[in-house]
Amino acid sequence: MSMTITEKILARAAGKDHVKAGELVNANVDMIMCHDVTTPPAISMLKEKGIDKVFDPEKIVVTPDHFQPAKDIKSAELHKRLDSWAKANKLPYYYKLGRAGVCHALLPEQGHIRPGEVIVGGDSHTCTYGAFGAFSTGIGSTDLAAAIATGILWFKVPASMRFTLTGSFSKGVYSKDVILEVIRRIGTDGALYKAMEFVGPALKEMTMEARMTITNMAIEAGGKNGIIGFDETTKAYLDGRLKGKTDYTVFESDADADYVHEDTIDCSALEPMVAFPNLPSNGKPIGECAGEAMDQCYIGSCTNGRIEDLRIAAGIIKGNEVAIRTIVVPATPEIWKQAIDEGLAEIFYDAGCVVSAPTCGACLGGFMGILAEGEKCVSTTNRNFVGRMGHPKSGVYLASPATAAASAVEGKLADPRNYL
Amino acid sequence: MAKAHVYKRDHVNTDEIIPARYLNTDDVAELATHCMEDLDTGFMAKCQPGDVIVCGDDFGCGSSREHAVWAIQGAKIGAVIAHSFARIFYRNCINCGFYPIELHGALDKINDGDELAVDYKAGTIDNKTQGTKIEFTPLPDFALEIVNDGGLLEHIVRKK
C-alpha cells in the first residue's frame, strides 16, 4: 500500500505499518514547542487537574516570544508563569530572554527539529518545521496540555495535496512569492484539514530558510501541515546542529501515493507578489499594484525574519534612506548578532530604520510597531486579517523582504527588481 | 430564547474573534468582554446568554489561540453555526467541550434575529421565526465523546 510522507510519519508515530487519509490515530509526539501566550493557560489546566509532571523534559522546547521582552504587566505575568513552570520541571531546553527568539526561527536554528518526527506547538505556524521532512502542526492550549502530560495526541490523518515547484527563480522573486501565489490560487481554506506537500526541481535552489517560508504559510491556506522532503540541503543544515538525539529517520512519499489535488508552479514565470488586506489570498503581482502609498514597513517574523531575509533587505536598502517608518526585527538572538557582525544593522541604521530585539512583536499586533487607524504597512509577515497589526481600520500588505525593502525606500509598494 | 446573530462573511478569523492585543490574559471573563470585537464592536452589547453566532465558510481561521473559544464560551454564546470551520479552531472547540455546528447553507436558512432552538442529540435546529427545522452534520462519535465529557482533559482523566 503506497503512502505519502505525511502518512508514513504518522504511521510510524502511531506504531502502525500503514495508515490512510481520514483514519484517526493516536500518535506519539516527538517534540513540543511552548511559548508565552498559549502555554501558561495549558500549565494552569494541568495544575487544575493535579498533573504536575511533564511526559519527557527532553522533548519540550520553551521560548517566550510573542510579547517578549514583556510589553506590559499582564504579559510579564504570563512570562512569570512560563518561567516558574520551566524551572520547576527542570526543562533543559528553556530559552530565556537573551537566548529566546521567535519560536519557529529558534527551534530549527538551535537544532531541535529532526526529519521524520511528529512535532506540535501551541502556535498555528508550527507547520514551519515541515520544511525538514517532519509532520508538524499547530494546536491550542488544551491539546498542548494533553501533549505535555501524556506525549500522545489524536490526529485525523490528512489527505495530501501536491504542489510541484518548477523552473528557476528570476531576480527579485523568492519563496515568499511562491507561497503567496499558491495561497492566491487555492484560497485561505483551499487546503483545509489537508497536508500541503511541496516537491519539484525548484526546491534545489532554495535554502532551508527559504523552504521554511513556504511551509510556514501552509496554515494560511488552512493546511494541517506543510511538508518538504529531506535532501542534501536538509542534511547540510542539520549536520552538527542537532541537540540531544542526533539520529533521525528519513521518509519519502511513494511514487504512486494518493493526492487529492495537484498543481504546478513555474517559479520562473512568477513576479514579486503582494497580498492585499484582509486575506493572505489577495495576492497581486507587483506590476499591478506598485505605487500604493504605505506608512510603515515591517521586516521580521517567523515567516521572514531570518538572516537570509535581513541580507536581502539590507542589500536593497543599502545606500538609500527609507521614506517610511521601517522596523527590522531579527527573529533570534543569533540572527541579531549576525546582523551586527555582517554590518547589516549599520546599513539599516544608516538608512533610518530601527532594529529591535527578537520578538513576534507587531506581526500579531502585540507591540513594537502597531498601526493607527487608516495606516498601511508593507510587511514580511504571514497574516493580514482585520486589525492584525493594530487598528481594525489599518491594512497589512504581505510581501517578501525584497519587496518590503524596496517599498520602504520609496514609501509605496515598489518592485524590488529595480534595485537588483 | 436564543437569537441568531448572522454575519454574512467567510473567513471570520481568530484576530476578529479575540484580537491579539487582549492575549496578554487568559482570564475568560475578561476575554469575553472583547468577544468578536474587531468584527462587530456592538456584539457584546446586543448578545444575550444562549445566543447563536451564524457565519459562512472557514470560521475561526488563523491563530491557534484557544482564547477565541474561551471568549465565545465566556460570552455564554449558545452555539456557533458555520458552513465550515478552520481546523485548529474546530479542534479547540471539541477540546473545550463546545459543540461546533457545521451547517452548509446556514446563511440561506437563518436570518439575523431569528429565534433558534438547537437540539444536539437530534442534530436539528428549530428555526422558530421561520417555522423550519434544519438538520446539521453531527459530530463524529469520538469527538462527541470528548464534548460530552466536557473537553479533552476531562476525557483523558475519565479514561484513566
Side-chain angles (χ1 to χ4, degrees):
Chain A
M1 289 278 267
S2 58
M3 288 191 281
T4 63
I5 179 170
T6 296
E7 288 168 336
K8 285 184 184 179
I9 295 169
L10 285 173
R12 192 270 309 153
K16 294 181 157 204
D17 293 333
H18 184 264
V19 299
K20 60 179 191 304
E23 190 175 334
L24 285 169
V25 296
N26 275 317
N28 289 301
V29 171
D30 300 297
M31 183 55 74
I32 303 172
M33 188 287 296
C34 292
H35 68 48
D36 51 342
V37 170
T38 56
T39 303
I43 299 165
S44 301
M45 289 176 195
L46 291 173
K47 236 181 224 159
E48 201 182 294
K49 293 276 176 295
I51 303 167
D52 55 2
K53 277 225 173 70
V54 304
F55 90 105
D56 186 347
E58 292 281 332
K59 292 183 176 172
I60 296 171
V61 178
V62 183
T63 181
D65 61 359
H66 277 53
F67 300 144
Q68 80 112 30
K71 78 178 178 99
D72 53 19
I73 296 168
K74 284 180 179 168
S75 51
E77 295 292 341
L78 291 177
H79 293 164
K80 198 168 140 189
R81 285 157 66 189
L82 190 68
D83 181 75
S84 51
W85 172 72
K87 284 178 180 158
N89 282 284
K90 298 190 171 58
L91 300 181
Y93 304 122
Y94 170 34
Y95 291 84
K96 293 188 262 295
L97 186 78
R99 290 294 174 267
V102 175
C103 55
H104 307 310
L106 187 81
L107 267 69
E109 174 199 279
Q110 293 299 318
H112 296 293
I113 302 304
R114 282 172 285 269
E117 296 204 333
V118 169
I119 305 160
V120 296
D123 190 279
S124 64
H125 293 106
T126 304
C127 50
T128 309
Y129 313 134
F132 292 84
F135 171 83
S136 193
T137 193
I139 54 176
S141 298
T142 302
D143 268 329
L144 193 58
I148 287 168
T150 67
I152 298 167
L153 279 182
W154 64 268
F155 294 103
K156 190 165 144 188
V157 179
S160 289
M161 302 168 84
R162 183 164 62 184
F163 299 89
T164 305
L165 312 181
T166 65
S168 221
F169 282 94
S170 51
K171 216 166 62 171
V173 178
Y174 302 90
S175 64
K176 180 65 163 285
D177 302 303
V178 174
I179 191 63
L180 287 176
E181 170 62 13
V182 169
I183 300 166
R184 187 193 68 76
R185 287 189 192 182
I186 67 173
T188 52
D189 55 357
L192 198 55
Y193 297 95
K194 299 190 180 73
M196 296 174 78
E197 187 175 329
F198 299 91
V199 300
L203 286 170
K204 283 206 167 53
E205 289 184 22
M206 293 187 211
T207 60
M208 287 316 297
E209 285 85 351
R211 294 176 187 186
M212 281 190 262
T213 301
I214 290 185
T215 49
N216 172 272
M217 288 189 72
I219 181 67
E220 307 313 332
K224 181 168 192 154
N225 65 310
I227 196 158
I228 293 172
F230 177 92
D231 66 5
E232 282 305 309
T233 306
T234 327
K235 185 177 182 302
Y237 186 96
L238 294 173
D239 281 352
R241 193 187 290 264
L242 290 178
K243 289 205 172 83
K245 189 166 150 279
T246 52
D247 59 317
Y248 51 81
T249 313
V250 171
F251 293 96
E252 56 182 46
S253 291
D254 292 322
D256 57 346
D258 274 339
Y259 294 93
V260 291
H261 176 94
E262 296 250 20
D263 201 358
T264 300
I265 288 93
D266 179 4
C267 297
S268 48
L270 284 182
E271 268 194 62
M273 298 285 291
V274 180
F276 273 51
N278 289 307
L279 286 174
S281 57
N282 287 339
K284 295 180 189 189
I286 189 71
E288 289 176 19
C289 60
E292 176 105 12
M294 294 289 125
D295 300 288
Q296 180 172 297
C297 169
Y298 187 91
I299 298 168
S301 86
C302 58
T303 314
N304 281 120
R306 301 182 183 86
I307 191 64
E308 180 177 293
D309 303 314
L310 302 193
R311 285 180 192 139
I312 291 166
I316 287 172
I317 284 176
K318 190 176 184 177
N320 291 295
E321 181 111 0
V322 292
I324 49 176
R325 305 190 301 261
T326 300
I327 302 157
V328 182
V329 190
T332 69
E334 215 168 284
I335 298 167
W336 182 90
K337 177 155 191 319
Q338 267 178 294
I340 289 172
D341 291 347
E342 293 181 18
L344 308 182
E346 195 175 335
I347 291 170
F348 291 128
Y349 166 79
D350 286 345
C353 313
V354 69
V355 181
S356 104
T359 181
C360 299
C363 167
L364 77 158
F367 66 140
M368 300 288 284
I370 301 303
L371 301 173
E373 182 172 359
E375 285 191 329
K376 296 175 176 180
C377 177
V378 57
S379 180
T380 68
T381 55
N382 41 55
R383 248 171 222 159
N384 54 357
F385 297 147
V386 171
R388 175 70 181 176
M389 291 184 78
H391 195 280
K393 284 185 181 139
S394 59
V396 179
Y397 296 72
L398 305 174
S400 72
T403 303
S407 305
V409 170
E410 297 192 19
K412 55 194 186 203
L413 293 181
D415 193 330
R417 292 172 295 191
N418 300 333
Y419 294 83
L420 297 165
Chain B
M1 187 62 72
K3 209 167 123 182
H5 300 277
V6 176
Y7 296 93
K8 291 191 183 287
R9 267 276 313 277
D10 296 327
H11 317 297
V12 168
N13 56 73
T14 49
D15 282 295
E16 291 171 301
I17 301 167
I18 186 72
R21 56 185 176 275
Y22 305 122
L23 296 186
N24 53 6
T25 181
D26 54 349
D27 181 79
V28 173
E30 194 179 336
L31 291 169
T33 63
H34 303 294
C35 184
M36 308 296 276
E37 185 173 299
D38 278 5
L39 177 69
D40 177 359
T41 45
F43 179 77
M44 282 309 289
K46 67 187 179 198
C47 169
Q48 296 294 320
D51 279 1
V52 175
I53 296 169
V54 184
C55 284
D57 274 314
D58 199 25
F59 186 88
C61 66
S63 161
S64 70
R65 64 186 74 152
E66 210 161 292
H67 307 62
V69 183
W70 302 333
I72 288 171
Q73 285 182 309
K76 304 205 164 34
I77 299 300
V80 177
I81 302 172
H83 291 186
S84 64
F85 289 90
R87 189 190 67 81
I88 304 176
F89 180 87
Y90 187 77
R91 191 175 168 115
N92 285 344
C93 282
I94 294 164
N95 285 343
C96 291
F98 187 81
Y99 195 128
I101 300 178
E102 205 168 58
L103 174 63
H104 298 285
L107 292 176
D108 301 324
K109 294 166 184 160
I110 302 166
N111 290 327
D112 195 47
D114 281 359
E115 304 272 348
L116 308 177
V118 179
D119 185 337
Y120 291 97
K121 274 209 176 109
T124 57
I125 299 159
D126 194 358
N127 188 332
K128 296 188 185 259
T129 308
Q130 299 192 24
T132 50
K133 199 155 230 163
I134 310 160
E135 279 182 36
F136 60 85
T137 324
L139 273 185
D141 287 344
F142 81 96
L144 196 60
E145 213 179 296
I146 296 171
V147 169
N148 287 339
D149 283 346
L152 181 67
L153 292 182
E154 289 76 5
H155 179 70
I156 290 172
V157 170
R158 194 170 287 209
K159 270 190 141 180
K160 267 187 178 170

